[in-house]
Structures are given as C-alpha cells and as structure tokens.
Amino acid sequence: MSRENIATVVKIIESLPEAQQERVIEHLREYIADIEDELQWDESFRKTQTKLVEVARLAKQQIAQGQGQAMDYDKL
C-alpha cells in the first residue's frame, strides 16, 4: 500500500468520533489477523503439498493392490 493510501485511511479514521475510531481500529486488527492467519495456512499447505500428493498416491496404490483398510473414525 502506498503512503498516500495509508494517509488517506488515517485521515478518514481521524475524521470519525473517538468511539467509532476505536471500533474501526478493532475491526482492522481482526481483519489483519485473519489475513495473517490465511497467509500462514497457505504457507503451511504449500510446504506440505508435495508430501500430501505423495501420500495420496501411496494410498491409491495400496487400495488398487487390495491392501487398503477402511479408516475407523471412532478410534481417532
């Protein structure tokens, strides 16, 4: 974001009454935290994607060879 855009947002927020400024800031904090969380998930997925594909191929191979077993979700 450019400095001009940041300055514009700051001016908009400053033009609000104090109580609304606090609400906007809290919403921005939550929004930024959500974005950071999403980015972290994206990075984690990117790092594990190759391994996930590898495990999925192995599972398909085992199923094709009759070695697959149904997962018992109650034991998880």
Side-chain angles (χ1 to χ4, degrees):
M1 183 182 275
S2 72
R3 289 181 186 267
E4 290 174 359
N5 289 339
I6 293 171
T8 300
V9 170
V10 168
K11 285 179 186 177
I12 291 169
I13 294 170
E14 287 176 341
S15 71
L16 299 170
E18 183 103 11
Q20 280 69 32
Q21 287 181 21
E22 293 299 323
R23 288 179 59 199
V24 169
I25 295 301
E26 184 56 33
H27 284 294
L28 284 173
R29 285 187 179 123
E30 290 173 8
Y31 182 69
I32 290 169
D34 287 345
I35 290 172
E36 289 172 339
D37 189 47
E38 242 181 79
L39 291 171
Q40 197 171 20
W41 273 105
D42 289 347
E43 180 65 17
S44 294
F45 185 75
R46 187 189 63 74
K47 287 180 177 179
T48 60
Q49 191 171 12
T50 302
K51 186 67 174 174
L52 290 171
V53 170
E54 183 181 312
V55 171
R57 284 186 182 140
L58 177 61
K60 284 179 86 172
Q61 179 184 3
Q62 289 175 342
I63 291 167
Q65 294 172 350
Q67 298 172 347
Q69 296 179 356
M71 183 177 276
D72 186 354
Y73 292 102
D74 293 328
K75 291 185 180 180
L76 294 177

